[in-house]
Amino acid sequence: MEKKKELKIFLEDPYLMDFKDDIYLRINRYKEKKSELLNNKRKLKSIANFHDYYGFHRNRQGFVYREWAPNADEVFLSGDFNNWELLPLKRNEKGDFEVQINGHKTLEHNSRVKTVIRKDGVDVYKVPMFIHKVSQDVNDNGVYDFYGIIENTTNAYKFKNSFKLDKDFKPYIYETHIGIAQEKEDIGSYEEFLDILPRIKELGYNAIQIMAIASHAYYGSFGYHVTNFFAASHWFGDTENLKKLIDKAHELGIAVLMDIVHSHAATNVNEGVNNYDGTDYQLFHSGARGHHSAWDSKVFDYGKNDVIKFLLSNLNYWLTEYKFDGFRFDGITSMLYLDHGLGKAFTSYHDYFSLNTDMDACVYLTLANELIKEINPNSITIAEDVSGMPGLAAPIEDGGMGFDYRFNMGAPDFWAKQLDLDDHDWNMNWMWHELTTKRPDEKTISYAESHDQALVGDKTIMFKLTDSEIYWNMQIDNQSYIIHRAIALHKLITSATMNLASNGYLNFMGNEFGHPEWIDFPSERNNWSFYYARRQWHLVDDENLKYKWLNQFNKESVHFSQDNDLFNHYPMLMMLHNEFKLLEFKRGDLYFIYNFHPTRSYESLSIPIDEKGNYKVVFDSDNSRYGGLDRISNDYVYEAKKVYGTDHPFNINIYLPSRTMLVLKKIDE
């Protein structure tokens, strides 16, 4: 009898064999749930179509409106079209509520509607669950009242550009938020963001990751408390302009990823899907398990078939209606564990495989990844998981959950801790470990800082380095030591993170030029000010300010990485010296040498080289274009010579100033 071939996940990591039963339980549960959902159908897309059935749809007579509210006693529709009278829906043969509205002009374009759910004699006015547009009025007391908006037009935006990701796509992601992308002290729009796209293109980023796309009633939630899962956020203007934005990005060769939130939902009852049919268990776990104490939000019940179909339909909708190229899944750790991973260090494999693992959530995530690839084989998915769950970003056929990438969330945490130390105490061994360690069967995306480090209460790297000095000493002719140190270290930190990244790199908008201060959305705390909820592009555009140096360094670093296809070559450690703060690694045919020491410049530093020949510096951080002092020659030819008694076949003696990096490449003889 032929021996059953072992799954690749166990071949890559033999330690997982101790948890074979747990992993096969997850795999078998996924297969069983898939079979149960499909019920002899062939494609997951066939059951991910709630949005095609529920909501408002034109037909020959006018409109049919269906609502999913299984536990409601009665359902009504109310709006502009009937002077806010209650139009009753009837239960159909499927148990859903339905009404035919005759006349194509009855529901005018942009007219307002609400669904009324009657349960136990109580009427609750709600935004329809599957509405595609939302808006709000505000009364004299500043209280918002949200409505669903009807789409009834033949002028819907038509995409002009055909776009798909190459199979060997290497992500350089520019993380962004539409509302704060403008300089004005107000909310930016989809249309205004069109002017930001050329900046991103020039910097070399080939993907944008857009936050806060799904509709959310509270602007200050950063989009992480979703109320309306099938509506693009109204805060940024007409949703048709989001399509225009995505189309323009595709024209520029930029992929568009959506930061999607399926880990929880807003508690809002009137504006959102909470208690939609009058119960707390239609979409969510009932009682205490359905409430996320740390986030004050609702927790989906991933074990229910209709909940899975709802969420899968949501993915299908964004991929097909808006042509997103993939998703970054937020808050995966919270989904994977029944205790949401709160207060856990995840220092042992036992932390991943236990009765604390939410097997239903694992199954849903696997189905989600399979569906996304079914709809768009070239799409990409990214998991934001702090726990390090093995298999999360391994292929489904290998025993994983199917994400294409996972974030290297240890990198920003490492940099934050280093910046709390004296420069002399930075740990080079720890640096190498955090910036390179990954599971061999999973691809990772690294970043020095994301939006998390820019939020009020935290500090960006640049602001940690400069503090208040950034307000007074960023002029070109200013000789502030604090600013000089900050610029030098900012370049080294972002450069090391990018050049050691395994499979992708991410930057949050503005951090490429050291945007000052923090992000703070308008609230009662700051007297509803937008001052800190914007990006000050004039700073980087001002030729008399030093921000332009960091921007230029980031731009050329991205292009250098892409031109040399660095993500196709894994970094190999050549030299590491903790006391001298030196790091050298090889990637492809390039040698990267970093000197993090705050004071020591090395006049004739001997560095190991694998191959005999002549070498030149092809990139360095000390170039005056980046605010450097031009102490490193790009013309000098270094000869690799044999040095007996060393661990490497050849060595080169170079000059390496403090707080600089350079890249060597062999030249033709």
Side-chain angles (χ1 to χ4, degrees), residues 171-380:
Y172 294 79
I173 302 171
Y174 197 83
E175 184 187 25
T176 189
H177 182 285
I178 303 296
I180 66 173
Q182 299 301 314
E183 185 130 7
K184 63 182 182 180
E185 293 185 42
D186 202 347
I187 300 176
S189 70
Y190 297 120
E191 198 160 20
E192 289 171 320
F193 193 82
L194 295 175
D195 295 332
I196 307 299
L197 286 172
R199 289 182 182 270
I200 300 169
K201 174 69 174 178
E202 184 180 3
L203 286 168
Y205 291 92
N206 57 14
I208 54 175
Q209 178 181 298
I210 312 182
M211 307 172 63
I213 288 298
S215 184
H216 45 289
Y218 178 45
Y219 177 61
S221 75
F222 228 143
Y224 290 123
H225 281 71
V226 175
T227 46
N228 315 104
F229 283 79
F230 291 85
S233 176
H234 67 289
W235 294 112
F236 315 131
D238 193 282
T239 56
E240 293 298 296
N241 286 329
L242 173 57
K243 296 178 181 178
K244 184 178 179 182
L245 185 164
I246 294 171
D247 203 17
K248 182 62 178 179
H250 286 166
E251 180 185 328
L252 295 172
I254 299 173
V256 186
L257 309 177
M258 178 178 173
D259 190 354
I260 199 158
V261 185
H262 282 184
S263 48
H264 62 134
T267 58
N268 302 53
V269 172
N270 299 97
E271 301 85 4
V273 297
N274 184 21
N275 282 76
Y276 194 83
D277 67 353
T279 69
D280 66 348
Y281 53 81
Q282 179 186 2
L283 283 164
F284 310 109
H285 288 287
S286 185
R289 187 178 172 188
H291 182 254
H292 197 301
S293 59
W295 295 347
D296 188 24
S297 57
K298 300 297 293 183
V299 179
F300 286 104
D301 184 350
Y302 303 103
K304 296 176 70 171
N305 288 357
D306 280 343
V307 175
I308 295 174
K309 291 177 182 179
F310 174 85
L311 294 172
L312 292 180
S313 299
N314 192 232
L315 297 172
N316 186 4
Y317 173 75
W318 292 113
L319 287 170
T320 54
E321 181 70 18
Y322 285 90
K323 299 191 183 300
F324 279 99
D325 302 295
F327 302 97
R328 176 261 199 186
F329 278 71
D330 175 70
I332 295 294
T333 308
S334 177
M335 299 173 68
L336 294 175
Y337 308 100
L338 298 177
D339 64 2
H340 308 303
L342 298 174
K344 297 200 72 168
F346 295 100
T347 56
S348 165
Y349 275 23
H350 291 278
D351 294 330
Y352 304 123
F353 307 106
S354 67
L355 294 177
N356 185 39
T357 304
D358 190 332
M359 202 62 70
D360 292 332
C362 295
V363 168
Y364 164 67
L365 291 172
T366 309
L367 291 166
N369 280 301
E370 183 173 356
L371 171 76
I372 292 165
K373 281 293 190 287
E374 182 183 297
I375 296 170
N376 180 359
N378 293 330
S379 61
I380 64 173

Side-chain angles (χ1 to χ4, degrees), residues 143 166 217 231 238 240 263 327 362 403 443 542 546 567 590:
V143 177
D166 295 331
D238 193 282
E240 293 298 296
S263 48
F327 302 97
C362 295
F403 281 95
K443 294 186 289 186
D542 191 332
K546 297 177 181 180
F567 295 154
L590 300 173

Side-chain angles (χ1 to χ4, degrees), residues 87 132 151 169 392 400 486 490 494 568 586 602:
L87 175 65
H132 293 170
E151 297 175 295
F169 177 75
L392 185 62
H490 194 281
T494 56
N568 260 348
K586 183 181 181 183
Y602 300 100

